[in-house]
Amino acid sequence: MFLEDVNSEFSESIRTLRTLLVAKFQKNKSILVSSTYSGEGKTTISLNTALAFSKIGKVLLIETDIRRPSVLSKTSQADEAPKHGFSDLIQGGDIKLSDCIMKLPGSEMEVMTSGTRRSDLTDLTTVKKLKAFFDVLKIHYDYVIVDTPPIQPVSDTLFISQATDHNLLIVRSNVTKILGVKSVLKKLSNVQVKIDGLIFNDLDTSKASYYGYYQYGGYYNKYKSYS
């Protein structure tokens, strides 16, 4: 979406998000993106934010949902994915990092898919080893975006979040429940993890309460036509 229509409201929101993250976080850090349940937009936000970051630095998007991988399903490149990925690397063995990464065609962004293992993540590695794995990646990339499973249904993200530098939670307008967010925050607190910020997705900006976005957007488009 970010590449297909760079002037859309969505793309402008993604650029705004990128600007905020660049201001808030240092380079060479891992940024986890998750949600309460599936269907709240975490993979869409992760993928498009990584694409936005690829305009200003070297980026790796890691898909850590080894039970229900979906990153490449949002592109046309599913058949071109490497055989191995995240779950194979963290388990150890003779697999090379270069064998698990692909560049998304039409962009400078690199992707590591979930790999072949379909089990509980805690059976494959430890928090200490996972943190060391992310630390190695941060040497080679300016930004490491970690797309994770939703927090409520499975325990994997509670595990991964202990190894990342920053953690963001997607909250979808008129979908995500306040009680669900509170439950997720409590679960994360129980493993000594804090959320660095909430990303509100799918807001209806046509409402007057959102500062007359379309009125301003009309002015902006008129300005562009004269520039």
Side-chain angles (χ1 to χ4, degrees):
M1 293 169 68
F2 179 78
L3 294 179
E4 290 173 355
D5 187 356
V6 296
N7 294 319
S8 68
E9 182 183 349
F10 175 82
S11 295
E12 189 59 39
S13 296
I14 291 294
R15 282 191 289 270
T16 299
L17 174 60
R18 179 188 65 189
T19 300
L20 292 171
L21 295 181
V22 169
K24 186 176 178 65
F25 304 146
Q26 296 179 348
K27 277 188 176 182
N28 307 111
K29 299 292 183 181
S30 54
I31 303 173
L32 177 149
V33 181
S34 193
S35 62
T36 305
Y37 289 102
S38 60
E40 294 174 337
K42 65 175 181 56
T43 299
T44 297
I45 299 298
S46 298
L47 176 60
N48 285 278
T49 301
L51 285 168
F53 270 119
S54 71
K55 300 291 186 180
I56 61 172
K58 190 175 181 182
V59 180
L60 177 66
L61 173 64
I62 308 176
E63 177 179 52
T64 63
D65 193 340
I66 63 178
R67 304 167 195 253
R68 297 180 63 186
S70 62
V71 166
L72 289 185
S73 68
K74 297 186 179 298
T75 74
S76 58
Q77 315 303 326
D79 295 334
E80 301 178 22
K83 181 179 178 181
H84 300 292
F86 170 73
S87 60
D88 306 292
L89 273 175
I90 62 172
Q91 194 175 33
D94 298 327
I95 300 171
K96 297 180 181 179
L97 179 62
S98 58
D99 295 331
C100 301
I101 294 175
M102 66 174 285
K103 181 172 286 188
L104 194 68
S107 77
E108 294 301 315
M109 184 184 81
E110 296 184 8
V111 179
M112 180 187 295
T113 58
S114 64
T116 62
R117 307 297 178 184
R118 298 286 178 262
S119 61
D120 192 294
L121 192 61
T122 57
D123 294 337
L124 302 180
T125 189
T126 65
V127 170
K128 184 177 180 179
K129 290 180 179 178
L130 191 57
K131 187 178 187 307
F133 172 69
F134 289 143
D135 287 344
V136 169
L137 294 176
K138 290 184 297 185
I139 296 173
H140 302 285
Y141 293 92
D142 296 316
Y143 306 98
V144 178
I145 309 296
V146 184
D147 179 58
T148 68
I151 297 174
Q152 287 288 44
V154 295
S155 62
D156 289 2
T157 302
L158 294 177
F159 182 74
I160 299 168
S161 63
Q162 297 175 66
T164 49
D165 296 307
H166 302 293
N167 302 290
L168 302 172
L169 186 69
I170 304 297
V171 177
R172 186 172 182 179
S173 176
N174 296 319
V175 174
T176 305
K177 305 298 183 185
I178 294 296
L179 288 178
V181 173
K182 287 182 177 180
S183 175
V184 161
L185 294 178
K186 184 176 181 180
K187 284 183 176 182
L188 290 167
S189 177
N190 286 338
V191 292
Q192 287 75 56
V193 170
K194 72 181 183 74
I195 287 291
D196 292 276
L198 303 179
I199 300 173
F200 289 90
N201 185 33
D202 202 19
L203 286 172
D204 182 1
T205 55
S206 65
K207 295 180 179 179
S209 59
Y210 295 116
Y211 306 102
Y213 183 94
Y214 285 115
Q215 183 178 358
Y216 174 77
Y219 170 79
Y220 176 68
N221 289 331
K222 182 179 180 180
Y223 172 78
K224 287 197 303 177
S225 68
Y226 285 99
S227 61

